[in-house]
Amino acid sequence: MLRESRHEQLLRFLREESVLHVTEIARRLAVSEATARRDLDDLGRAGRLTRVYGGAVARAPAPGGPQRPAPTGPAEAEIEDLAAKDAVARAAAARVRDGELVLLDYGTTALRLARLLRGRDVTVATGNLAVYEELRGEERTGLILLGGRVRSGRAGDGRVTGPLTEGPLTEAGLGQLYADRLFLGASGILPDGRVLTGREADVPVKQALLASARQVVLLATARKLPGSGTARVCGPGEIDVLVTGSGPDPDALAGFRESAVEIVEVVDA
């Protein structure tokens, strides 16, 4: 693959997922890690991504304006969280049974779960366009794309999270579905069990997702307890299962225990 084509493909991966580790980039591009690092360095110097320890983060400069300063702690923490997200996604995939209809929320953990469902005899419904791109063309796995207005996808803290659909059309589409399971994401979870998102406009779609599934499985690495967020999505009484990483603060799980939520702690690989 020519270097320019490889760079464009790498940037597309980052637009979809926001953050990638150098090992994952090398695997997807079928190159050595040394080549992947050189590509990241080249694109970082050109201002097309933000280089952080262990990988890279998507960067979206204002048109015609100066580059934003490179993120520090949060971006690097996101890189370090990838193994935890993979572990949570594997535990979530193990709960899915053949023939089921599952709803996937926005976010990178949902995308990692979608990869594990690819090729399985299930149907996935989502407004997450990165998930759609991952699964389209797969004959065995059914795919329902929720309609609505497409936005680029940006978390409350400015991170690029991948394109998605939102608005009344998305909510109306969800009203016609009743899935076996919803895999819900969150920006943060408070000790009383309140589930938060970093963007108020996400709340209506997330609440429509909650109303459209028989079982609600919340996916959250230990870093999301408490995490961050400015808008309440739901309380612990609306969650059936919490799948989280190893070592969460016991106090952070108190609200879920009081609401008799099944808590699954997985070991980060």
Side-chain angles (χ1 to χ4, degrees):
M1 184 186 298
L2 293 175
R3 186 169 69 101
E4 292 76 11
S5 299
R6 195 171 66 239
H7 284 184
E8 290 305 317
Q9 194 166 359
L10 194 162
L11 291 168
R12 180 173 65 81
F13 292 151
L14 274 178
R15 284 195 298 271
E16 291 174 352
E17 298 193 44
S18 168
V19 57
L20 280 171
H21 192 279
V22 66
T23 303
E24 178 70 6
I25 292 169
R27 184 188 69 80
R28 292 206 208 170
L29 296 177
V31 297
S32 69
E33 291 191 17
T35 297
R37 289 190 186 93
R38 283 195 295 271
D39 286 348
L40 292 177
D41 291 340
D42 290 345
L43 291 167
R45 282 192 294 270
R48 302 185 72 187
L49 54 76
T50 297
R51 190 79 160 88
V52 297
Y53 180 77
V57 177
R59 195 172 194 179
Q67 295 288 343
R68 294 190 184 94
T72 53
E76 294 190 9
E78 196 71 14
I79 286 281
E80 293 169 1
D81 212 30
L82 292 179
K85 290 184 178 187
D86 283 335
V88 167
R90 284 192 297 271
R95 304 186 75 88
V96 178
R97 302 289 176 261
D98 286 351
E100 288 189 345
L101 168 62
V102 298
L103 286 169
L104 295 191
D105 194 8
Y106 310 141
T108 53
T109 305
L111 178 57
R112 301 178 109 71
L113 172 56
R115 292 200 181 106
L116 297 173
L117 297 178
R118 185 178 179 86
R120 290 189 52 182
D121 182 19
V122 298
T123 298
V124 174
T126 189
N128 184 332
L129 294 179
V131 168
Y132 168 78
E133 287 294 331
E134 180 67 30
L135 296 178
R136 70 188 181 101
E138 175 57 55
E139 293 183 4
R140 186 170 171 79
T141 305
L143 181 60
I144 298 171
L145 177 63
L146 300 170
R149 179 179 293 276
V150 177
R151 71 173 174 88
S152 62
R154 189 171 296 281
D157 59 6
R159 288 180 298 107
V160 178
T161 58
L164 51 89
T165 60
E166 66 177 5
L169 290 175
T170 311
E171 296 159 39
L174 285 165
Q176 304 302 311
L177 296 175
Y178 193 57
D180 294 286
R181 303 175 205 275
L182 160 66
F183 292 98
L184 182 71
S187 297
I189 302 168
L190 299 181
D192 63 4
R194 279 179 292 171
V195 178
L196 304 179
T197 181
R199 187 173 178 273
E200 289 82 355
D202 291 342
V203 173
V205 170
K206 284 182 177 283
Q207 291 182 340
L209 286 165
L210 288 164
S212 300
R214 186 172 293 107
Q215 183 186 68
V216 177
V217 183
L218 177 60
L219 306 180
T221 62
R223 196 167 66 86
K224 297 294 180 69
L225 293 111
S228 62
T230 58
R232 179 188 182 278
V233 174
C234 66
E238 295 166 86
I239 303 297
D240 298 299
V241 182
L242 167 64
V243 181
T244 188
S246 55
D249 183 345
D251 292 340
L253 301 175
F256 291 100
R257 291 200 173 97
E258 290 172 6
S259 298
V261 174
E262 179 186 351
I263 299 172
V264 179
E265 293 184 40
V266 298
V267 177
D268 302 349

